[in-house]
Structure formats: C-alpha cells, structure tokens
Amino acid sequence: MSLAVHAAEHLQTVGRGGTVVVVDTNFQQADVARYLNLESPTILDLLRESGTLSAQTVRNHLAHVPDIGLYALLGPPDVVNADPALINSALYRRILAVLRTAFDFVFVDTPVAELYHTTFTDLVLPEADAILVPVEPNRVTLEAARSWLRAITLPQHSRGGGVAPEKLSLILNRARADVGCGPEDVMDLLPGWRFVGLIPDDREWTRAANDRRLGALRAAPELAATLREILRVVTADPVFETAPPPADGQDGRLRRLLGLGSR
C-alpha cells in the first residue's frame, strides 16, 4: 500500500496522475479500503454490472483518492459478502486484463503467501510482471518465506512452481536494529535472493494506518528515496529515477533509516 500511495503521489507531481491503481485480492480481509478510509464502490458493485467488462465499466467502479490520483478496486465490505463462488481468481484475471489497458501501474495486494492458495497459483504467480515479497526481522517467518520462495521457483508441476527467480524482489519491512535480527542477518537467512529495499519500523506509519489516513501520509525524504528506488528497480521506468546517492553511500542511508545516525 505504501508503494502504491507513493507511486501515485510521485506520478501526479510529474504530470502522470491517475495512472496507478491498487487491486485488493485479499478479499476475505479487504484491508485496502480501511487503510485509505474508503467505503465504495467495491468489487460487489462491479459484479452487479451486466454485460462485458470494459475499461470504462471498471473505472466507474473504482474508488478514488483525488489528492494523489490513486485509484483502488476495493474488496467486499465484509466477510459475509466475500463468497469465493463469486469473487475468485477467475474474476480478478478478467479485471486485471482490463486494468492493464487503462493504467500504467497495477499494484495487487495479496493474501498471505501460501503454496497452494489459488489467488497465488491461478492469479499472482502467473500474471504478475514483478512480485515484491516483504519480509520482517523475525527468524520464524523468515524460514517460512525461504521455504515458500524455494517452492514456487521449483520446476513447473501440476499445482504450481516455475516462477522465474528474477521476477521476485524482497523488501525488508519494519526493519529494526535492536531485535537480534538486523538487515545482515535477514540477508544471511535468505541467501541468493534480490533485496531491493529496507523499510524501517515507523511509528508515524502505524499512526496513519490506525487513523485510516495512509493516503495522506507523506514519506520523509530518506524513505521516499528508498520507495522510489524500489519502484525503479521493479518497473524499470525512468520516472522513478532517484537523486544521486549521498556522500556516505547506501550504507549511510540504511543507518539513517534505522535511526542509527552516521558513523
């Protein structure tokens, strides 16, 4: 969500507003609406439309954050309406095919990664151009992430696999320097995978999420540069080019992000 918000905000400032949409495929929880303090329209409203899906039909059923030019396809309003017989990977595939023609960047918020979850096997893994995997400084969950990454990149089989490793990028999220599992430890536990950024544990972000005002949160300069660098790597779009690194280099930026100061 932070990446989608930052991308929309940045693109709006450079004259490419309205080109970012985030799709909530975690429809059993549908947190995107809560983070952005939006209620409607939702995917249920789109389902009630008769006829074929078109770019205009889908646009008419997207929620909008006009201040930053971000669009969102919200999930159902509650779990009772999250019926997988109606809302499923097949429906999202049809919607994503339309959104690709109408937006430059389509962010897909997913459920928790599970090897045989149909949202992954039938939608995310085969359809995504790039897959961002957030990991946290927690050794137990890092072991689970390592197992999942290994499994999805195994040779193709009847229930999945075959994802090209270069399609995957890892982000160390909620990083801290005082929990016995710093950035170096995380990378040691997940060797061979491409890390594209470090996002520190941030009280202001937590407040914004709790207040449902993530769409209004503006990243501090160091974090904004990190978000843009992540976007540049995974999209290869020069619009996200960042300023030259500071004199103390990437290591200095990481230390400042973690609140350690410079050496």
Side-chain angles (χ1 to χ4, degrees):
M1 279 304 306
S2 294
L3 283 167
V5 166
H6 183 77
E9 178 190 17
H10 179 68
L11 289 165
Q12 182 140 292
T13 64
V14 299
R16 288 175 58 180
T19 60
V20 177
V21 61
V22 58
V23 179
D24 193 348
T25 66
N26 189 10
F27 59 90
Q28 295 286 344
Q29 295 184 12
D31 288 339
V32 168
R34 299 184 185 97
Y35 280 130
L36 297 176
N37 198 26
L38 299 170
E39 294 183 357
S40 64
T42 74
I43 194 170
L44 292 181
D45 299 301
L46 181 58
L47 268 174
R48 296 186 184 106
E49 279 289 315
S50 58
T52 59
L53 291 177
S54 66
Q56 191 57 52
T57 300
V58 175
R59 270 192 178 275
N60 289 343
H61 295 85
L62 297 176
H64 186 213
V65 185
D67 289 349
I68 58 173
L70 176 66
Y71 288 86
L73 178 63
L74 305 181
D78 53 61
V79 295
V80 175
N81 285 288
D83 184 354
L86 298 174
I87 305 172
N88 48 47
S89 298
L91 173 63
Y92 281 115
R93 284 182 79 134
R94 292 170 53 212
I95 293 170
L96 287 177
V98 173
L99 291 176
R100 281 178 181 272
T101 69
F103 291 88
D104 291 348
F105 301 98
V106 182
F107 289 81
V108 178
D109 182 51
T110 75
V112 174
E114 296 173 347
L115 185 58
Y116 297 117
H117 197 305
T118 56
T119 298
F120 282 93
T121 59
D122 300 343
L123 179 72
V124 175
L125 299 183
E127 292 290 324
D129 297 312
I131 300 171
L132 287 165
V133 183
V135 296
E136 297 188 4
N138 179 314
R139 294 178 185 273
V140 173
T141 60
L142 286 169
E143 290 175 8
R146 182 173 58 194
S147 176
W148 181 77
L149 289 164
R150 185 185 303 120
I152 66 171
T153 52
L154 287 171
Q156 184 74 41
H157 55 87
S158 61
R159 294 296 302 276
V163 176
E166 57 268 22
K167 193 171 169 177
L168 296 154
S169 298
L170 277 59
I171 301 173
L172 175 53
N173 194 32
R174 297 179 182 171
R176 295 177 60 122
D178 57 353
V179 292
C181 190
E184 295 83 3
D185 301 300
V186 173
M187 293 178 190
D188 287 343
L189 287 165
L190 293 169
W193 300 103
R194 179 175 68 172
F195 278 84
V196 294
L198 176 153
I199 309 296
D201 194 16
D202 187 89
R203 291 182 181 178
E204 183 57 30
W205 187 95
T206 302
R207 290 193 198 99
N210 286 334
D211 294 341
R212 303 191 177 195
R213 55 178 180 86
L214 196 59
L217 183 63
R218 299 296 177 264
E222 291 286 351
L223 181 55
T226 297
L227 294 173
R228 281 201 303 280
E229 177 63 12
I230 294 169
L231 292 165
R232 184 194 65 80
V233 171
V234 298
T235 69
D237 192 316
V239 74
F240 295 118
E241 291 287 351
T242 57
D248 55 357
Q250 180 69 7
D251 183 62
R253 175 187 288 175
L254 295 181
R255 291 180 64 81
R256 285 192 299 276
L257 281 168
L258 290 173
L260 299 177
S262 57
R263 289 178 176 172

